[in-house]
Amino acid sequence: MTVVDEEASRAVLNRLRRAQGQLAAVIAMVEAGRDCKDVVTQLAAVSRALDRAGFKIIASGMRQCLSETAPDAAPLSEAELEKLFLSLA
């Protein structure tokens, strides 16, 4: 059984590719001796992107799990689950 559906998988991959590009930029900034504040700001953006990708995977898996185990209950949407997880971070 796949934990992440196709739509969520595309969103996760997009976020990870964005994070990969941001991380490459951070590496280049460090190599170029850029200002510490700029480097830390970009590094924080990479961290957030990775966190959001992870939460997207968790939210998608939980949504599928909830919809399979409680067929008569209205399952939370993926966006609702993701928002819930992000509020705890």
Side-chain angles (χ1 to χ4, degrees):
M1 175 177 86
T2 301
V3 175
V4 180
D5 63 33
E6 189 176 329
E7 181 181 337
S9 180
R10 279 193 302 273
V12 167
L13 287 172
N14 286 340
R15 287 179 178 169
L16 290 174
R17 287 184 182 109
R18 191 175 310 123
Q20 184 179 33
Q22 290 171 318
L23 184 56
V26 170
I27 292 168
M29 291 171 73
V30 171
E31 290 174 341
R34 294 277 303 269
D35 182 63
C36 178
K37 180 183 174 197
D38 295 337
V39 172
V40 170
T41 299
Q42 288 304 309
L43 196 53
V46 172
S47 179
R48 283 190 305 274
L50 292 173
D51 288 344
R52 291 189 67 84
F55 286 129
K56 185 73 163 177
I57 291 169
I58 292 167
S60 177
M62 289 296 294
R63 182 179 49 84
Q64 287 177 334
C65 181
L66 289 173
S67 66
E68 291 171 1
T69 58
D72 53 332
L76 295 174
S77 71
E78 187 172 327
E80 290 169 321
L81 284 168
E82 185 175 3
K83 184 177 178 180
L84 179 63
F85 279 107
L86 288 173
S87 70
L88 297 172

